[in-house]
Amino acid sequence: MDRNQSHLWKPLLHEVATGALDDGVDALSYLAHARNNAFHFQLGTLIGIEHEAKRIRLARIDTEQGEELVPERELSYDILVMALGSVSNDFGTPGVKQNCIYLDNPKQAQLFHNRMLDLFLKFSANSGERERVNIAIVGGGATGVELSAELHNAVKQLHSYGYKGLDNSALNVTLVEAGERILPALPVRISSAAHQELTNLGVNVMTQTMVTSADENGLHTKSGEFIQADLMVWAAGIKAPDFMKELDGLETNRINQLVVEPTLQTTRDPSIFAIGDCASLMQESGVPVPPRAQAAHQMATLCYQNILALLNGQALKSYRYTDRGSLVSLSQYSTVGSLMGNLTRGSMMIEGRLARLAYISLYRMHQVALFGYVKTGLIMLVGSINRIIRPRLKLH
């Protein structure tokens, strides 16, 4: 069950936002995937659980005009897996919801894309009236860093398609991070390398800068500084959806995640599993499992194995997070990261073309898991053809 008709790999939403990736081409239809892989799909938004009765409630589905298509309904289960992911956490900062765009799903990424194109078109048509286009991004994690670089690539592509006066000197991107450095979850030298690459591109990287409020003209900081912005993105922190805070008595933490046992079963109902960003599990080190794609993938694998063990009356295994390293793409300009994080303790740093190939391979592995090797090969072939016959940037 999902509230959307299609799936898109979340780490690529920043590319949808700039137009480097066309979600209409790369998205996976749940209905088609269900038919090809012998499972059933239900379109709907989860609004409640009755775990003692083993039922979930789905909200009614309406048209854009508010007319009812499907009434509120219930589904029964024997075993339930919660894999709802996360949403942006604005920490209650005044004005953020009203003036900033989140990048939690393709719809929000498309909203950013449309506003970005409108902003650049306006600048190009009136290039003599203002000096630069100001875009602010709050959050120095992977999303914020990658989006900052992709914006410069978008400007370069749009200039080649006839946007007069639009080039890197006309773009002012400000990346705001409350911590001491960007990419705080990665080793210091990877963070420093990414910082230097962004600075070379012209991105204004502001660390140790806390945003206290946002309005239609920009961001206010704790130090009293005002960051002017025509377009703002909030990518600072995550939380599970708010409705999970009080989900039929299931235990949650301060960011609404379901607290799970090492077997990934929720603490108050062993027939409910939770995986990915919506699950909270403390490691032996006392540090929670990080909300990363590789952690969710590893959880999904163990969850599958434990469900089979549960059905067969066998002992369930405990989850142990294995850090395979991290890669951050700075568009066509560079890629930095580390491989085999636990094996080398983050010391195997790679960058440049090798890192870019490794980054692309992550998405290919995701596609292989969904489609298999043959179909993924065909998708790669179609992608190569599209790079020849289609614009390098989505222009509409």
Side-chain angles (χ1 to χ4, degrees):
M1 186 277 296
D2 199 274
R3 67 191 302 175
N4 300 305
Q5 294 272 16
S6 60
H7 159 79
L8 187 73
W9 202 41
K10 193 172 182 179
L12 294 181
L13 284 178
H14 68 281
E15 293 191 16
V16 176
T18 59
L21 182 74
D22 189 343
D23 59 319
V25 174
D26 287 75
L28 166 69
S29 167
Y30 284 124
L31 282 172
H33 197 59
R35 186 193 68 176
N36 294 334
N37 292 275
F39 67 89
H40 300 283
F41 172 68
Q42 285 269 0
L43 179 67
T45 300
L46 180 69
I47 56 174
I49 294 177
E50 298 174 26
H51 71 92
E52 291 187 358
K54 293 194 172 183
R55 290 195 299 261
I56 63 173
R57 295 199 321 276
L58 306 181
R60 56 180 273 179
I61 301 176
D62 296 336
T63 65
E64 292 182 359
Q65 293 74 33
E67 297 179 7
E68 183 180 285
L69 289 175
V70 180
E72 184 176 314
R73 62 202 191 278
E74 293 185 343
L75 296 177
S76 299
Y77 67 86
D78 294 310
I79 295 174
L80 176 65
V81 179
M82 299 286 285
L84 287 167
S86 60
V87 296
S88 295
N89 190 350
D90 59 25
F91 307 102
T93 307
V96 169
K97 288 183 180 180
Q98 296 79 11
N99 298 289
C100 297
I101 296 175
Y102 304 134
L103 291 182
D104 296 330
N105 55 57
K107 186 176 180 180
Q108 292 172 340
Q110 190 61 52
L111 173 63
F112 177 90
H113 181 251
N114 293 337
R115 291 187 181 177
M116 180 196 76
L117 288 181
D118 289 345
L119 192 60
F120 288 158
L121 178 61
K122 181 179 179 180
F123 176 86
S124 179
N126 304 280
S127 57
E129 297 181 9
R130 56 182 304 172
E131 294 181 358
R132 293 195 292 181
V133 175
N134 300 303
I135 299 178
I137 303 167
V138 183
T143 298
V145 168
E146 292 179 327
L147 180 61
S148 298
E150 281 292 348
L151 281 167
H152 282 272
N153 180 51
V155 163
K156 179 181 177 181
Q157 297 298 331
L158 289 171
H159 178 77
S160 70
Y161 285 110
Y163 277 60
K164 297 179 181 179
L166 187 64
D167 54 28
N168 277 349
S169 64
L171 178 63
N172 177 36
V173 177
T174 302
L175 179 62
V176 185
E177 167 58 38
E180 294 182 356
R181 59 187 178 92
I182 61 173
L183 302 174
L186 303 185
V188 173
R189 57 179 178 162
I190 296 177
S191 171
S192 299
H195 191 138
Q196 186 60 50
E197 288 286 353
L198 292 179
T199 301
N200 293 341
L201 281 176
V203 176
N204 178 25
V205 181
M206 300 176 65
T207 55
Q208 295 183 297
T209 304
M210 181 175 292
V211 174
T212 55
S213 65
D215 60 35
E216 60 183 9
N217 297 313
L219 305 168
H220 299 269
T221 69
K222 188 177 181 180
S223 63
E225 187 175 358
F226 179 71
I227 302 171
Q228 184 178 353
D230 306 297
L231 188 57
M232 293 168 279
V233 174
W234 187 274
I238 62 100
K239 63 179 180 179
D242 287 334
F243 81 93
M244 291 178 61
K245 186 180 300 183
E246 297 178 356
L247 199 60
D248 198 33
L250 297 177
E251 184 182 2
T252 56
N253 64 8
R254 60 181 179 82
I255 57 171
N256 310 328
Q257 292 174 313
L258 290 167
V259 180
V260 298
E261 303 285 359
T263 57
L264 303 180
Q265 295 164 296
T266 55
T267 55
R268 296 175 183 170
D269 190 335
S271 64
I272 299 179
F273 290 77
I275 61 175
D277 289 4
C278 75
S280 172
L281 176 62
M282 298 298 293
Q283 302 179 77
E284 293 180 356
S285 62
V287 178
V289 175
R292 299 168 66 181
Q294 59 177 307
H297 179 80
Q298 293 168 22
M299 283 182 170
T301 300
L302 182 70
C303 181
Y304 159 72
Q305 294 171 351
N306 278 350
I307 287 174
L308 290 182
L310 188 66
L311 295 175
N312 294 322
Q314 300 171 345
L316 277 62
K317 298 179 181 178
S318 295
Y319 174 78
R320 282 185 173 83
Y321 171 61
T322 302
D323 185 1
R324 304 293 187 189
S326 301
L327 293 165
V328 177
S329 172
L330 304 178
S331 189
Q332 62 175 352
Y333 306 104
S334 182
T335 301
V336 296
S338 63
L339 296 180
M340 298 180 292
N342 274 352
L343 297 178
T344 62
R345 296 184 181 178
S347 62
M348 186 177 177
M349 179 176 172
I350 61 172
E351 58 183 318
R353 184 170 296 179
L354 176 62
R356 182 63 182 171
L357 290 174
Y359 183 87
I360 294 173
S361 72
L362 293 177
Y363 184 43
R364 297 306 181 197
M365 289 167 63
H366 177 69
Q367 290 179 311
V368 167
L370 294 175
F371 304 109
Y373 287 99
V374 174
K375 287 187 177 180
T376 299
L378 293 174
I379 289 171
M380 293 171 64
L381 176 61
V382 171
S384 299
I385 297 173
N386 280 337
R387 280 193 291 273
I388 298 173
I389 64 176
R390 295 169 65 91
R392 294 195 174 185
L393 198 75
K394 187 178 180 182
L395 303 172
H396 58 280

